[in-house]
Amino acid sequence: MAGEGPSRSARVLLLLAVALIGLNLRPFITGIGPLVADIGAQTGLDLKGISLLTLVPMALMGVVAFAGPLLQSGVGARRSVIASLIVLAAGSLLRLFATTGWHMVGTAALLGLGVAIIQAVFPGIVKKQFPNHVGVVMGLYSATLVGGGALGAQAAPLIASATGDWHLGLAWMSIPAVLALLLAAHTLPRDRAARQGGISAWTMLARPRLWLLMVCFGLVNGGYSTVVAWLAPFYREHGWSAAASGSLLAVMALFQGLAALLLPMLARGKDLRPWLWLTLAMQAVGFVALAFRPEAAPFASAMLLGSGLGGCFALSMIVVLDHLPDPAEAGALSALMQGGGFLITAFPPWIVAALHDATGSFVAGWLMHLVAVLVVAALYWRVSPASYARAMSAPMIGDEPRRHAPARSL
């Protein structure tokens, strides 16, 4: 489908592709938590080993995202997405045969690689194909991404219980990957020759603003990676069943999806910081509830935490795309932000597992993420729309300071 003037039906099909592709990017992670006991019993993985099933794919999402600009210009966004969906389908199917911890970590790496490539190139596709509706379409993409997490958290324990096999609770995820592959092959626009010029990836990496965005994205999504890894086991320690803890995680992910879809629609004006601070406040209340009153209102806490995490993810993706008007450059900036951000995101689940081993509880981990939320709230003060152009043309890191070039260029 060409970028200019596609028919209404073609645009609707493209929106369906956006939704279905997003739906495939998280179930393989969120499906692990409710099945931790079964996976650990058969594969021998302890809590730190189980944390690798989140750490490894998140780390790959970070490393591969740095190749986003090269993938877009060299391989092409369409070809990259199609190849990645094949990898996702294969990775989920291979979990049918996983019998050791290293088998599980290997499939996690394969799945993380597929997701990493899609996440690196997809925001650029959205900005190019829907230039006047970036916020709404990125909201849809973000909503289905975290909604897929809800699906994985709920379906994995149910399928595992119904079949008596946790492998099937994870391997079914190959089915939506195949459906997304077929739709993407039919609807995604053909790749075109790369345009020369524009801001290079190295130039972007030399801008302090990109590093600020990386830190904010990474710290917030570190809260997400910890919650999807340890919320269900946390409540298992409180006596909940696998199905009940999976339902709680699914509710959290469902509200992530709703917030990711609705908040970009509700947010008015160019300055999204008040909405970002609202989502951060929701997260703060959620982490406080988990740390001090986990049994008081667990579903309400999960709803609040999910809304904060999902809304912040969607708004963060819109903020980075708003920094540059050119779709290719904005997509490259988004890929680089995700690169550094997901490298940060990869480690909190392991850190929380280590804190659990040291203290015997998850409370220290929840408090760690409360501090991270407060840090991000302070950093986002610098990200005003008036600063976007100045930040992207600011002196590069390592340049001699210029007179009248204030620190506000962050």
Side-chain angles (χ1 to χ4, degrees):
M1 182 174 61
E4 57 268 15
S7 68
R8 181 180 179 85
S9 61
R11 194 163 288 268
V12 169
L13 283 175
L14 185 54
L15 282 172
L16 288 175
V18 169
L20 190 53
I21 289 169
L23 197 70
N24 279 275
L25 303 186
R26 290 297 182 270
F28 75 97
I29 293 178
T30 57
I32 296 293
L35 301 177
V36 161
D38 296 329
I39 295 171
Q42 181 165 342
T43 64
L45 289 173
D46 59 9
L47 284 184
K48 288 183 181 177
I50 291 289
S51 73
L52 293 177
L53 303 183
T54 301
L55 187 156
V56 169
M58 288 291 183
L60 279 169
M61 290 178 202
V63 172
V64 175
F66 285 111
L70 180 61
L71 288 169
Q72 291 186 85
S73 60
V75 178
R78 181 180 186 273
R79 284 188 289 269
S80 296
V81 170
I82 289 173
S84 298
L85 289 169
I86 294 173
V87 169
L88 286 180
S92 291
L93 193 60
L94 285 173
R95 285 189 157 174
L96 272 175
F97 312 103
T99 56
T100 70
W102 287 115
H103 289 164
M104 286 299 293
V105 173
T107 58
L110 191 62
L111 291 160
L113 176 64
V115 170
I117 293 173
I118 292 174
Q119 290 182 163
V121 301
F122 215 66
I125 293 176
V126 170
K127 177 132 184 163
K128 181 178 181 181
Q129 298 302 311
F130 301 95
N132 298 320
H133 304 283
V134 171
V136 173
V137 179
M138 283 306 299
L140 173 66
Y141 168 72
S142 302
T144 55
L145 184 150
V146 294
L151 179 63
Q154 188 69 72
L158 291 177
I159 293 173
S161 176
T163 61
D165 188 352
W166 63 264
H167 296 85
L168 289 172
L170 300 176
W172 70 270
M173 299 170 193
S174 61
I175 297 173
V178 170
L179 295 177
L181 170 64
L182 296 174
L183 188 57
H186 178 67
T187 62
L188 290 185
R190 298 286 176 182
D191 295 315
R192 295 183 175 182
R195 178 178 57 82
Q196 300 299 314
I199 303 176
S200 71
W202 288 113
T203 300
M204 291 181 184
L205 285 168
R207 304 298 185 204
R209 171 57 59 84
L210 174 56
W211 294 89
L212 185 151
L213 293 171
M214 283 180 182
V215 170
C216 291
F217 188 81
L219 290 178
V220 167
N221 284 283
Y224 170 78
S225 63
T226 290
V227 168
V228 298
W230 300 128
L231 184 66
F234 175 60
Y235 278 96
R236 291 296 299 273
E237 289 186 351
H238 284 75
W240 290 40
S241 68
S245 62
S247 295
L248 183 66
L249 184 58
V251 167
M252 189 277 297
L254 175 62
F255 274 78
Q256 276 185 286
L258 290 173
L261 179 63
L262 295 177
L263 285 183
M265 296 180 183
L266 295 174
R268 301 297 180 186
K270 281 287 187 181
D271 193 349
L272 299 179
R273 289 177 301 169
W275 295 91
L276 284 165
W277 287 324
L278 172 63
T279 65
L280 292 167
M282 292 177 184
Q283 293 175 52
V285 174
F287 284 123
V288 167
L290 289 179
F292 299 113
R293 299 293 300 276
E295 292 286 3
F299 281 93
S301 299
M303 292 173 188
L304 198 61
L305 187 57
S307 297
L309 289 167
C312 197
F313 178 87
L315 294 171
S316 298
M317 296 294 288
I318 296 168
V319 164
V320 71
L321 291 175
D322 282 348
H323 269 73
L324 290 166
D326 180 77
E329 292 177 358
L333 184 67
S334 174
L336 295 172
M337 178 196 74
Q338 292 181 72
F342 279 118
L343 285 176
I344 297 171
T345 294
F347 292 96
W350 187 91
I351 295 171
V352 171
L355 289 172
H356 182 279
D357 287 348
T359 65
S361 110
F362 286 103
V363 171
W366 305 137
L367 292 178
M368 177 187 77
H369 284 296
L370 174 62
V371 173
V373 166
L374 299 176
V375 170
V376 173
L379 290 176
Y380 267 133
W381 184 265
R382 312 302 294 266
V383 187
S384 67
S387 72
Y388 292 171
R390 183 174 69 250
M392 296 314 298
S393 61
M396 295 189 294
I397 296 172
D399 281 359
E400 288 296 321
R402 300 177 188 173
R403 189 176 301 175
H404 308 309
R408 282 201 310 266
S409 60
L410 284 173

